[in-house]
Amino acid sequence: MQAATPVTTTDRIRQFNRRGAQWAAVASALAVTLPTAWLSLSTLAFVVFWLGAGDYAQRWRQVADSALVRACLALLAWFALATLWAPLPWPEALMGWWPYRKLLLLVLMLSILDEARWGWRMLYAFLAGFAVLLLLSYGQRLGWVPPNRWRTPSAFTSHIAYSTMLAFVSWTCLWLQAQRTPWRGLWMAYAALALVNLFFVNTGRTGQAIFLALLGLHMLQRWRWRGAAGAVVLISALSASLFTTSPTFRDRVLEGVANLEQQQAGQVNTSLAFRMEFWQNTLEIGSRHPLLGGGMDSYRTEYAALARARQLAGDRISQNPHNEYLLVWTQAGLIGLGLLLWLGWAQWRESRRLHEPANHLAQGLVLTMGLAALFNSSLFDNQDGHFYVVLSAALWALGRSRPHR
């Protein structure tokens, strides 16, 4: 018989750091719903432990065949290259690349989360953290909890990020309650609380629209293209029902219609009108350098110049266009936009290789972020971007092998 290979001190240190990185990933999933400082600390801890875990060649072999990983690295590399032609000093241009570093965090997490149990732990940690936001939201609506700085019932986060995550959480809980587990009743109760909040308390139109789209996706996932007609009927019926029963939903719809009419009449004094003006001006800026873009972090400089030329002031001066696709196009050109779309396509395609329910949830996450990016700079923004990165890592980890809860 061969003698057992002795475990060295180096091996013990690496194993300690490997386990530390995995638990730090779980902590990061929880911290997505917490104030920014907690998220920064947990992700920093993950990176430190990941570096201490060593065995980098093995880490790379685990992700080398992933199209999602290749797409993340290609997009990051192009953004780094786009700092070279930005009309800013290089350190400032690098700050335009910095918010997208989250994609590297996704690659690192995928390389060390090698068991399904870590994916489940991350998903459960995120849902537990969001449950706190949900309860605080109800408390704010009832006047039991002090309002946030946005004066919206979204706990201590913005109503935009909150509504996006709320839509995904509602849909995820519906999927989880359909699984044959002892916790089915818990997931049903969580889904009910989340859905009532989404359409009767929450003030974010983006999340409401995303959930309706996710319902359509669910019909397609269950019945393929035979479910398309059913999806149209279901979404139409639900929207009509909510319009008549939910004052919050109805008011947000009517407010959106009124905003559009005001914008068409030349009145730019509402959130939707501001967005439409941002998009129009961004299209003009991007058309000046469509292929390569103006360079990272060039948007603020170019929009400020356009605002001075047109004598725009106050809220009409944009720091970002509230549209991830337009932001990437103006700064990294059509090449950058193409790489961003490749990222979504690669993730969708690769999700089909995951085990259920991770495959369905992963597709829902791609749809959630894809739609949210139409109205916000979702990948660029800190909380939204980390939500995407951490949940992607969790779903890929739990879907690599048979479910283990």
Side-chain angles (χ1 to χ4, degrees):
M1 294 180 62
Q2 281 187 325
T5 303
V7 178
T8 65
T9 302
T10 299
D11 293 334
R12 293 192 185 94
I13 292 174
R14 287 184 172 182
Q15 180 59 26
F16 172 82
N17 281 292
R18 179 172 173 272
R19 190 65 75 211
Q22 291 166 334
W23 279 114
V26 176
S28 297
L30 175 64
V32 167
T33 60
L34 299 178
T36 303
W38 291 94
L39 184 57
S40 299
L41 287 173
S42 61
T43 53
L44 176 61
F46 170 81
V47 172
V48 171
F49 280 123
W50 188 93
L51 290 171
D55 202 6
Y56 305 129
Q58 174 59 30
R59 301 278 81 80
W60 172 247
R61 284 194 293 271
Q62 179 159 315
V63 298
D65 64 341
S66 170
L68 171 59
V69 168
R70 291 195 294 270
C72 286
L73 296 177
L75 186 59
L76 273 175
W78 180 254
F79 284 169
L81 192 62
T83 63
L84 300 179
W85 56 82
L88 299 162
W90 189 76
E92 292 182 34
L94 188 61
M95 294 309 297
W97 176 91
W98 184 247
Y100 294 102
R101 72 193 185 282
K102 298 182 286 283
L103 293 175
L104 183 58
L105 182 66
L106 173 55
V107 174
L108 299 184
M109 285 185 171
L110 290 176
S111 73
I112 206 165
L113 297 170
D114 52 3
E115 296 178 81
R117 58 176 175 165
W118 293 107
W120 284 109
R121 286 169 178 170
M122 290 177 69
L123 180 61
Y124 291 156
F126 168 75
L127 292 174
F130 194 86
V132 175
L133 293 187
L134 188 62
L135 294 176
L136 289 174
S137 172
Y138 277 112
Q140 288 171 332
R141 181 60 181 266
L142 296 171
W144 299 345
V145 176
N148 58 30
R149 62 188 178 94
W150 298 277
R151 300 287 170 177
T152 57
S154 54
F156 39 73
T157 189
S158 75
H159 73 286
I160 297 173
Y162 175 79
S163 72
T164 299
M165 293 189 291
L166 178 59
F168 182 77
V169 165
S170 302
W171 188 72
T172 296
C173 288
L174 289 176
W175 261 109
L176 291 177
Q177 70 82 31
Q179 308 300 306
R180 297 179 179 178
T181 71
W183 303 101
R184 188 173 183 181
L186 174 64
W187 298 127
M188 178 63 79
Y190 196 161
L193 282 172
L195 284 170
V196 170
N197 192 279
L198 178 62
F199 289 107
F200 291 85
V201 177
N202 158 67
T203 58
R205 283 184 293 250
T206 301
Q208 294 170 345
I210 288 172
F211 181 80
L212 293 175
L214 288 172
L215 274 185
L217 174 63
H218 177 80
M219 300 288 284
L220 293 175
Q221 288 174 333
R222 283 297 191 189
W223 295 287
R224 304 296 179 182
W225 294 110
R226 293 175 297 172
V232 173
V233 172
L234 176 62
I235 293 172
S236 300
L238 181 59
S239 298
S241 175
L242 288 168
F243 189 82
T244 59
T245 60
S246 170
T248 303
F249 182 77
R250 180 173 60 252
D251 290 348
R252 295 298 283 163
V253 171
L254 294 177
E255 180 185 346
V257 173
N259 288 174
L260 287 175
E261 292 175 347
Q262 291 171 344
Q263 197 275 338
Q264 291 174 353
Q267 302 176 34
V268 185
N269 55 8
T270 64
S271 62
L272 189 55
F274 286 137
R275 270 185 170 82
M276 295 188 70
E277 183 177 66
F278 294 161
W279 297 343
Q280 291 170 356
N281 291 338
T282 302
L283 286 171
E284 180 180 332
I285 293 171
S287 65
R288 300 171 186 169
H289 34 62
L291 182 60
L292 299 180
M296 299 308 292
D297 210 32
S298 63
Y299 180 83
R300 292 184 300 113
T301 301
E302 293 188 289
Y303 203 97
L306 182 146
R308 287 193 298 271
R310 297 186 178 177
Q311 298 183 334
L312 304 179
D315 290 336
R316 298 180 71 178
I317 301 179
S318 172
Q319 297 298 310
N320 73 72
H322 296 276
N323 182 301
E324 188 69 51
Y325 307 106
L326 290 178
L327 179 62
V328 170
W329 176 52
T330 56
Q331 297 191 148
L334 288 174
I335 296 176
L337 179 59
L339 290 172
L340 177 65
L341 295 175
W342 178 39
L343 172 62
W345 176 82
Q347 188 167 13
W348 182 280
R349 184 179 180 186
E350 197 166 293
S351 69
R352 294 181 295 183
R353 295 161 47 187
L354 303 177
H355 293 294
E356 193 171 332
N359 54 347
H360 300 304
L361 298 180
Q363 290 170 5
L365 180 64
V366 174
L367 180 61
T368 296
M369 287 299 293
L371 292 177
L374 290 170
F375 307 103
N376 305 284
S377 302
S378 300
L379 189 57
F380 177 87
D381 292 339
N382 187 65
Q383 188 173 33
D384 306 59
H386 277 94
F387 159 70
Y388 162 72
V389 162
V390 171
L391 266 293
S392 293
L395 295 173
W396 253 248
L398 71 87
R400 282 174 172 168
S401 59
R402 291 295 175 186
H404 172 84
R405 298 175 176 81

